[in-house]
Structure formats: structure tokens, C-alpha cells
Amino acid sequence: MAKIRNPKEFGSGCLFAGFGLAAIAIGASYPVGSAARMGPGYFPRGLGMILIVMGAVLILKSFRSDGLRIAIKDVRPLLIVLGSVVLFGLTVVPLGLVLATILLIVVSSTASHEFRWKEAAIASVLLAAFVVAAFGYGLKLQLPTWPAFLGG
């Protein structure tokens, strides 16, 4: 039996393949359509297949190349980033897309030991503008742009 020589690549490969399988399973009940007239299941299946191939490549590579063991020395940054994503999910409807995105970027930026308020503020405003343009206007997602008390 082959020995895993690079646990990080093996774990990444399993993660990619798992998300790929989940995308295919979720999109299985949707009609695929054709390349000229794509159905709602076309993108999840295509993306799922790409993720599975990427995962398989990483898993195979993990048996051939040496790598370091997976070690988490400080769990604080991981918890901050995951917590900021949960916070975004909880605040996007009541606060709107702009404020929730700014909150997400600022809070997740504090996970870095190189955190600076000015840089986080500038990045969060620019990313909030991009998110509103891409998801609010481009994809027309039904999320409020601003909080209800500001005219949502």
C-alpha cells in the first residue's frame, strides 16, 4: 500500500474532491441542458468535475512528493476567519451587502499579525463596492444593498 508522503496535498486533494462530489450531488436533480443552452445543472456538474480532477491530481501527487505534516500552531486566526464568515451570513440581511462586507473584511483582517486599520478600511470599502457591482447589479441577487433603516 502506498504511503502518503505529503499530508497537506493529500488533505487538499480530498477537500477538492469532496466539494466536487457535493457539487455534482446537489446539481444532479437539475436539468443540464446543452453547451448552447445551459440548464441550472450545467455549471455545478462542470465545476464538480473540475474539482474532482484537481483533487485526484493532488492526491496522486501526495504519494510522490515529500511534504511537511499538517500542523496548526495557533488556532486563533482560523477561528477569526471562520467567525467572520458566520458573522457575514448573520448580518447580510439586516445590515445589507455593503456594511456586512465591510464588517467581514475588517474582522477577518484582524486574524493577521500584520493587521493595520487603514489598510483594512480601504480594502473593505473597495471590496464592498465590487461585491455590490458583481452580485447586486451583475447577478441581481436578492440581497439588500443597505440596511432597511437607510432605505435598503
Side-chain angles (χ1 to χ4, degrees):
M1 185 158 172
K3 183 180 180 210
I4 299 169
R5 295 169 57 186
N6 192 334
K8 287 184 180 182
E9 284 195 4
F10 183 80
S12 298
C14 289
L15 194 66
F16 277 118
F19 278 118
L21 289 171
I24 290 173
I26 291 168
S29 62
Y30 301 131
V32 178
S34 65
R37 191 168 172 91
M38 296 178 196
Y42 194 91
F43 182 74
R45 286 188 186 155
L47 180 63
M49 286 186 251
I50 291 169
L51 287 171
I52 290 170
V53 169
M54 287 174 57
V57 168
L58 286 171
I59 290 170
L60 291 173
K61 194 176 171 189
S62 74
F63 294 116
R64 297 180 181 198
S65 64
D66 290 325
L68 300 173
R69 291 181 43 209
I70 298 173
I72 300 176
K73 296 176 185 173
D74 186 10
V75 77
R76 183 181 167 269
L78 177 66
L79 294 176
I80 290 172
V81 171
L82 290 175
S84 66
V85 173
V86 171
L87 182 64
F88 175 83
L90 294 173
T91 61
V92 70
V93 173
L95 292 182
L97 204 50
V98 172
L99 295 179
T101 301
I102 290 172
L103 187 63
L104 167 73
I105 301 304
V106 170
V107 171
S108 63
S109 295
T110 62
S112 172
H113 64 279
E114 298 174 3
F115 173 73
R116 292 184 191 93
W117 279 105
K118 185 177 178 182
E119 291 175 5
I122 292 169
S124 65
V125 170
L126 292 174
L127 285 169
F130 172 76
V131 165
V132 169
F135 295 105
Y137 298 113
L139 296 174
K140 298 189 183 352
L141 287 183
Q142 298 299 314
L143 290 171
T145 304
W146 297 100
F149 61 85
L150 293 177

